[in-house]
């Protein structure tokens, strides 16, 4: 009888209910907050890469890169100058291809290849074309991401990195070469 009375008393006691309810809700809430922050950061970095690509593409669109005989390394230096401070030039890759008409543009997705140290081994092109050429400029960026609790992970490649790609396809202006 005494045991039944103790069980009833515990059932009616509400003093510790709030802490128990918070303990049940806290972990999923914290996971949701961390996932939201990580996802927001990835979207922000993608937008920053898009802005960088837009600013950099003007060098090809106006023919200023072609007129000066710019090399791929020089063009990448200009692109790196357009990156925001939180992004590193060492993690960015530049691929520039050209065609005579839009139907000839290579629209295949780029496939990254890696060595045993998780370093990208692709050889990127730099063919900016001439006046009136159709140019495809791609900036790729390997953004380090942190895996979250409960298996949340935005990494798309080895080494906990997400590949961000910004592609611009345009016809360069009919500049005087």
């Amino acid at each position: 009888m005494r045991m039944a009375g103790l069980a009833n008393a515990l059932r009616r006691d509400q003093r510790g209910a709030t802490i128990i309810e918070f303990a049940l809700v806290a972990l999923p809430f914290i996971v949701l907050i961390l996932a939201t922050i990580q996802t927001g950061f990835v979207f922000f970095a993608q937008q920053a890469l898009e802005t960088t690509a837009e600013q950099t593409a003007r060098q090809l669109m106006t023919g200023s890169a072609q007129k000066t005989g710019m090399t791929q390394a020089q063009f990448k230096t200009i692109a790196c100058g357009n990156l925001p401070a939180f992004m590193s030039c060492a993690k960015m890759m530049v691929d520039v291809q050209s065609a005579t008409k839009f139907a000839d543009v290579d629209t295949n997705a780029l496939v990254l290849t890696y060595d045993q140290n998780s370093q990208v081994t692709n050889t990127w092109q730099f063919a900016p074309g001439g006046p009136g050429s159709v140019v495809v400029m791609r900036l790729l960026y390997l953004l380090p991401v942190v895996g979250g609790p409960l298996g949340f992970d935005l990494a798309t490649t080895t080494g906990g990195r997400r590949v961000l790609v910004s592609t611009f396809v345009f016809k360069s202006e009919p500049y005087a070469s």
Side-chain angles (χ1 to χ4, degrees), residues 24-41 148-152 154:
L24 292 173
V25 174
L27 181 62
F29 180 70
I30 291 170
V31 168
L32 181 64
I33 295 291
L34 292 175
T36 302
I37 291 170
Q38 183 72 18
T39 303
F41 177 69
L150 302 177
F152 179 78
L154 292 173

Side-chain angles (χ1 to χ4, degrees), residues 1 19 34 39 45 53 56 58 67 78 92 97 107 109 114 124 133 171 173:
M1 180 92 170
I19 193 71
L34 292 175
T39 303
T56 306
R58 293 209 44 78
K67 285 191 248 181
I78 289 174
M92 186 174 65
Q97 301 175 32
T107 57
Y114 300 91
W124 304 108
S133 293
K171 190 168 188 173
E173 295 175 358

Side-chain angles (χ1 to χ4, degrees), residues 72 92-97 106 110-115 119-127 138 140:
Q72 185 172 19
M92 186 174 65
M93 297 160 276
V94 177
D95 181 57
V96 177
Q97 301 175 32
D106 180 13
L110 295 176
V111 177
L112 298 180
T113 56
Y114 300 91
D115 63 13
Q119 298 299 315
V120 176
T121 59
N122 294 66
T123 305
W124 304 108
Q125 294 184 39
F126 187 71
R138 294 179 181 136
L140 295 90

Side-chain angles (χ1 to χ4, degrees), residues 1-29:
M1 180 92 170
R2 183 148 164 88
M3 208 52 157
L6 184 59
N8 284 335
L10 283 175
R11 211 172 316 150
R12 281 180 267 137
D13 190 1
Q14 298 287 319
R15 288 180 288 177
T18 304
I19 193 71
I20 292 171
E21 289 170 356
F22 178 76
L24 292 173
V25 174
L27 181 62
F29 180 70

Side-chain angles (χ1 to χ4, degrees), residues 65-153:
Q66 294 93 321
K67 285 191 248 181
T68 60
M70 198 175 286
T71 65
Q72 185 172 19
Q74 292 169 325
F75 186 75
K76 183 178 177 182
T77 300
I78 289 174
C80 289
N82 292 328
L83 279 174
F86 74 92
M87 296 175 93
S88 166
C89 186
K91 296 175 184 166
M92 186 174 65
M93 297 160 276
V94 177
D95 181 57
V96 177
Q97 301 175 32
S98 61
T100 54
K101 56 187 177 183
F102 283 101
D104 295 338
V105 171
D106 180 13
T107 57
N108 294 323
L110 295 176
V111 177
L112 298 180
T113 56
Y114 300 91
D115 63 13
Q116 64 273 13
N117 298 324
S118 296
Q119 298 299 315
V120 176
T121 59
N122 294 66
T123 305
W124 304 108
Q125 294 184 39
F126 187 71
S133 293
V134 175
V135 180
V136 179
M137 184 195 75
R138 294 179 181 136
L139 297 185
L140 295 90
Y141 190 83
L142 295 174
L143 181 71
V145 293
V146 179
L150 302 177
F152 179 78
D153 191 6

Side-chain angles (χ1 to χ4, degrees), residues 32-70:
L32 181 64
I33 295 291
L34 292 175
T36 302
I37 291 170
Q38 183 72 18
T39 303
F41 177 69
V42 168
F43 280 124
F44 179 71
Q46 177 66 48
Q47 187 57 46
L49 187 65
E50 293 288 339
T51 301
T52 298
E54 182 180 357
Q55 293 169 343
T56 306
R58 293 209 44 78
Q59 300 294 318
L60 298 171
M61 193 180 304
T62 60
S64 112
Q66 294 93 321
K67 285 191 248 181
T68 60
M70 198 175 286

